[in-house]
Amino acid sequence: TIYNKSVKNQHKTRHMKKATFFFTCSIILPALCFTAMAQYEAKDCGEIVKQHKKIAILPFVVSYQMKQTKNMSAEINQKQLEAQSYLLQNQLYTAMLLRLEKLKYNVEIQNIDETNSVLQKAKITVGDLPATPKEKVAKILKADAVIYGIMSGKQLLTEGEAAAIKLIGTLSNSSTYTTTNECNMDVSLLNSFDGKLLWKFNGNYTGSSIEGMAENAFYSVSRQIPYSEKWRKKNERKNR
């Protein structure tokens, strides 16, 4: 009947739309989110982290390769890097707080305002972090472990910076001003007693802004870091 044909056509159209949607996602999402991820875990990670009571998230180290413009001095560039360091620290802190109860973390996460205040009083700047032993930093912060992150890439822009540069490129009709970001995100968990690397996450990402790439990376980090109930149960099964 005409009614049955109409219903069949509607189902067919709906299935075609679904197929198109999933096919499009399968192409677009990997390009926007990540191209590769790797994870490291020390053999005695489980034994060590179960003794931890408090951890601290350090400002990220940010480095990238970008064409220097006439209006961008070395001082402006350094300030931009520092702002992005604290932006990433805040994003990871927020991502972990959002999952603190749901994933049942068994550790306290130090407020980043306190972390940064203590570091400032100790005269440890973002630029000092790479060369400063992390066990020393952890002890200054009175934390059992620290999360230390590095974001590096060809171009790293916040959403606001990407919009501004895109506008400049449009007005000047120049291809020099591009807003495509590519980065490598490296996040490490280091023990305060000896600075030992307990756990590490590494991923490559592309996107239109730092915030977008970091959101994808930190979603994985916050779920996989070895403080959740799921991780503890998995570790117990592994050691039986």
Side-chain angles (χ1 to χ4, degrees), residues 11-234:
H11 283 307
K12 185 177 180 182
T13 303
R14 194 177 295 116
H15 286 308
M16 287 178 68
K17 285 182 178 178
K18 285 183 179 179
T20 303
F21 172 77
F22 288 120
F23 175 73
T24 304
C25 287
S26 68
I27 295 174
I28 294 175
L29 288 179
L32 293 177
C33 297
F34 60 86
T35 54
M37 285 196 305
Q39 190 174 310
Y40 164 80
E41 189 178 296
K43 288 183 179 179
D44 55 353
C45 177
E47 287 299 313
I48 295 174
V49 298
K50 72 180 182 182
Q51 299 172 35
H52 291 172
K53 301 297 181 185
K54 181 170 68 174
I55 62 171
I57 302 171
L58 303 179
F60 274 60
V61 173
V62 181
S63 64
Y64 61 84
Q65 298 172 354
M66 183 178 178
K67 291 181 180 179
Q68 199 83 1
T69 65
K70 293 180 180 179
N71 298 324
M72 186 181 287
S73 65
E75 184 180 353
I76 292 174
N77 189 47
Q78 187 58 40
K79 286 183 178 179
Q80 182 184 29
L81 289 174
E82 190 169 313
Q84 291 172 351
S85 296
Y86 291 115
L87 172 72
L88 292 168
Q89 179 195 30
N90 183 64
Q91 269 199 266
L92 179 54
Y93 178 62
T94 302
M96 292 188 69
L97 283 185
L98 285 172
R99 295 172 180 88
L100 185 65
E101 291 185 11
K102 184 179 180 181
L103 299 180
K104 298 180 181 177
Y105 290 160
N106 62 341
V107 71
E108 176 192 345
I109 305 169
Q110 188 178 71
N111 188 296
I112 57 172
D113 290 336
E114 181 184 347
T115 301
N116 295 336
S117 176
V118 173
L119 290 176
Q120 188 177 15
K121 287 176 183 176
K123 296 183 179 180
I124 298 176
T125 66
V126 174
D128 295 328
L129 285 175
T132 307
K134 303 307 173 291
E135 61 269 32
K136 176 183 176 181
V137 178
K139 285 167 186 173
I140 289 171
L141 295 171
K142 296 180 180 178
D144 297 306
V146 291
I147 296 175
Y148 174 67
I150 302 172
M151 189 182 205
S152 58
K154 292 184 179 179
Q155 177 169 287
L156 299 175
L157 303 170
T158 63
E159 290 174 351
E161 291 163 348
I165 288 180
K166 189 174 182 180
L167 178 61
I168 293 171
T170 302
L171 294 175
S172 63
N173 195 28
S174 172
S175 60
T176 303
Y177 303 93
T178 60
T179 59
T180 301
N181 292 272
E182 297 178 14
C183 82
N184 175 268
M185 185 74 77
D186 190 278
V187 181
S188 300
L189 178 69
L190 300 138
N191 195 36
S192 68
F193 178 71
D194 50 10
K196 180 176 180 174
L197 176 63
L198 300 175
W199 178 89
K200 184 174 191 147
F201 173 92
N202 187 281
N204 296 318
Y205 295 82
T206 59
S208 59
S209 69
I210 285 180
E211 291 94 332
M213 294 186 294
E215 184 178 356
N216 289 321
F218 296 159
Y219 174 79
S220 298
V221 170
S222 63
R223 290 177 64 85
Q224 296 173 28
I225 199 162
Y227 292 112
S228 69
E229 183 180 54
K230 184 178 179 181
W231 188 92
R232 292 193 299 274
K233 287 181 178 179
K234 184 184 75 172

